[in-house]
């Protein structure tokens, strides 16, 4: 989550390559890399639609409210 928040703080509208590069080295035991990428895109859209902190947008997109 922290890597995703840092990415969105640096790159508000990341593409798939940006996300893959930022998340490289973060291992997911459940293998849901596609859903993680989708959540980061969703967080990006959420952050663009209203002023929220990147970490909050990532948490919201991943269902961690």
């Amino acid at each position: 989550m922290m890597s995703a928040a840092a990415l969105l703080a640096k790159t508000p509208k990341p593409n798939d390559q940006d996300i893959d590069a930022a998340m490289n080295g973060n291992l997911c035991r459940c293998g849901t890399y596609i859903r993680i990428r989708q959540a980061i895109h969703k967080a990006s859209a959420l952050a663009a639609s209203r002023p929220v902190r990147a970490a909050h947008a990532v948490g919201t997109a991943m269902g961690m409210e």
Side-chain angles (χ1 to χ4, degrees), residues 7-64:
L7 169 65
L8 291 175
K10 180 181 171 188
T11 309
K13 294 182 181 179
N15 59 35
D16 287 346
Q17 293 79 19
D18 295 330
I19 295 169
D20 291 345
M23 300 306 289
N24 187 27
N26 291 285
L27 301 177
C28 175
R29 292 184 196 168
C30 59
T32 59
Y33 295 105
I34 293 171
R35 290 192 304 196
I36 292 169
R37 187 184 299 138
Q38 291 170 340
I40 294 171
H41 282 299
K42 184 177 178 180
S44 173
L46 179 64
S49 70
R50 59 188 170 131
V52 296
R53 288 186 20 227
H56 179 73
V58 171
T60 300
M62 292 184 170
M64 303 169 119

